[in-house]
Amino acid sequence: MAPQTTSLRAALAYAGNLFSQLQVPLGGGRSDSDNAPSRLPSSVFGHTNPADNSNNFPAAGITPYDPLSGAPTCPIDSPVSCNNKTSTEDSCCFVNPGGRLLLTQFWDEETHVGGAEEDWTLHGLWPDLCDGSFDQFCGMAPKFNNITEVLEHYDQSELVEYMNRYWVAKYGTNDHLWAHEYNKHGTCVNTLAPSCYGDAYKPGMEVVDYFARAFGLFRTLDTYRALQRAGIEPDPRATHPLAKIQAALEDFSGSRVILKCGGARHDLLHEAWYVYFVQGSLQSGEFVPARDSFHGDKGNCAKNVRYLPKRSK
C-alpha cells in the first residue's frame, strides 16, 4: 500500500523503544530465484500515533538488525569499530577504516515536497575515520548512479517513496543526491564490497543495504520530537542555548551529537550529526552510540541559536 502524505512523526511507528524497532528487518527473506531482498514489509513503516507511546523515549543502547541480503551473518562477539586494536582491515565483519558512522540530518529552510513543518530530513550516513577525519569516493564498493532503478529492481519501491519525502535534494534531483551520497560515502564502507556477499552477490545488493540501513537508523532519530520534548520548537523570535539543544539530542539518542549552524553569525540551527560505532558489518551489525570526543567533533554554532519555522514554497 502506498504511504500517505503525513509528517515524519505520524508516519513512523513508535512501538516501544525506538531503538528496538530496528529488530524488524527491512526485508524479509530472499527470492528463491535470484537472492534479491524482498519488499519492505508494511509493518516497518506502520502509521501510528506517537502520542500513544508518549512516555517511551529512546534510550542509549545497541541496535539489533537483521541483514537484508546475502551478506554473511557476523559473530555476536564481533569487534566494535574504532574500539579494536587487532588488524582486521580485510574483515567483512568489521567496519574499517571508516568505523565512526555519522547519521546526518538537515533542518531545511523550506517545507519540502510531501513533507510537513516538523520534518527534519536525511542528509546521509557517513563512515568517517576513527580520528574524525574522512575518506571519500573510496571504491571499496562499486559506484552506482541509478539508485532509484537499483532499488526498484530489488522491489524496494516503498523505500524509494519514503526517501523521496525524507531524503530530499535542495537543488537538483533526489536521484542525483542519492548517487552522490552513495558514491562519496557508501563506497568507503569495506563490508559492502562484493566479496563480502560471496556467491550470492548480485550487483546492487550493496545499494539496498546501504540505503535501507541509513533510512532505518534515521527513522529512530526524530530530531523534531526530541527538541519538542525539551520545550524547543521552531519560533521566528526565540533563541535557545546551544548547550540545551545539545543535551536534549544526546539524551534522546544516547550518542554524541554534532550541531551545525548557518547564518552570518552561525546562529541558525541547520544540521544534526549523530555519531555511532558499528559492531559487525554495516549490513548485519549493530549501531552503538558513540559518546567520546574526537578530532572533528566540534560544531560551528554560536552559544545561542535560533530554530526558525520553515518557509512554505
Side-chain angles (χ1 to χ4, degrees):
M1 181 177 66
Q4 301 172 1
T5 300
T6 185
S7 71
L8 179 60
R9 292 188 301 138
L12 305 181
Y14 283 85
N17 186 300
L18 288 185
F19 279 87
S20 69
Q21 289 184 354
L22 281 187
Q23 295 180 39
V24 180
L26 287 179
R30 291 182 294 277
S31 130
D32 292 336
S33 59
D34 61 4
N35 290 317
S38 68
R39 181 174 176 79
L40 292 163
S42 59
S43 60
V44 172
F45 299 109
H47 299 276
T48 62
N49 187 344
D52 294 340
N53 194 47
S54 59
N55 293 323
N56 289 324
F57 212 54
I62 293 175
T63 310
Y65 183 84
D66 289 335
L68 282 168
S69 65
T73 300
C74 297
I76 193 171
D77 60 349
S78 295
V80 177
S81 61
C82 297
N83 287 269
N84 184 59
K85 300 185 186 305
T86 304
S87 179
T88 54
E89 288 85 348
D90 298 327
S91 173
C92 291
C93 288
F94 183 67
V95 179
N96 188 72
R100 189 183 300 277
L101 277 291
L102 274 60
L103 192 287
T104 58
Q105 298 184 18
F106 275 137
W107 178 249
D108 301 315
E109 295 178 0
E110 296 179 339
T111 302
H112 58 83
V113 175
E117 284 299 314
E118 60 266 39
D119 293 341
W120 284 65
T121 58
L122 180 55
H123 186 181
L125 182 64
W126 305 342
D128 283 10
L129 302 177
C130 295
D131 65 359
S133 61
F134 61 92
D135 290 329
Q136 56 186 358
F137 302 103
C138 301
M140 293 183 185
K143 292 183 179 180
F144 288 87
N145 293 310
N146 55 338
I147 302 303
T148 295
E149 182 180 344
V150 171
L151 293 176
E152 290 180 344
H153 172 76
Y154 284 108
D155 203 18
Q156 301 298 315
S157 58
E158 189 173 7
L159 175 58
V160 173
E161 288 184 68
Y162 275 87
M163 286 168 57
N164 273 317
R165 290 165 57 194
Y166 303 118
W167 199 337
V168 296
K170 185 174 182 180
Y171 304 106
T173 66
N174 290 345
D175 230 353
H176 182 268
L177 169 65
W178 302 337
H180 171 78
E181 288 299 310
Y182 183 81
N183 292 328
K184 181 176 181 179
H185 302 291
T187 61
C188 294
V189 181
N190 63 301
T191 70
L192 294 178
S195 59
C196 289
Y197 292 83
D199 294 339
Y201 176 73
K202 290 184 180 296
M205 284 182 167
E206 60 274 83
V207 172
V208 177
D209 284 329
Y210 176 79
F211 284 99
R213 284 242 71 181
F215 195 85
L217 181 58
F218 166 72
R219 64 185 287 268
T220 73
L221 297 170
D222 189 339
T223 301
Y224 185 94
R225 184 170 182 254
L227 294 177
Q228 184 183 55
R229 286 290 187 86
I232 301 169
E233 297 191 64
D235 187 286
R237 294 173 293 276
T239 59
H240 306 278
L242 182 69
K244 182 178 179 180
I245 293 175
Q246 187 101 32
L249 297 182
E250 292 188 349
D251 288 346
F252 164 77
S253 65
S255 72
R256 180 86 173 177
V257 177
I258 303 167
L259 297 174
K260 298 290 185 176
C261 294
R265 293 186 290 272
H266 298 290
D267 64 344
L268 300 179
L269 185 61
H270 180 54
E271 290 189 67
W273 300 358
Y274 295 86
V275 188
Y276 288 84
F277 301 128
V278 178
Q279 183 175 27
S281 69
L282 181 72
Q283 296 95 315
S284 61
E286 300 171 345
F287 287 116
V288 182
R291 294 301 298 263
D292 60 326
S293 296
F294 55 94
H295 173 72
D297 71 342
K298 304 299 182 185
N300 68 338
C301 299
K303 291 184 177 180
N304 293 284
V305 301
R306 292 181 291 161
Y307 181 26
L308 298 181
K310 295 184 182 182
R311 301 189 304 267
S312 298
K313 288 188 176 181

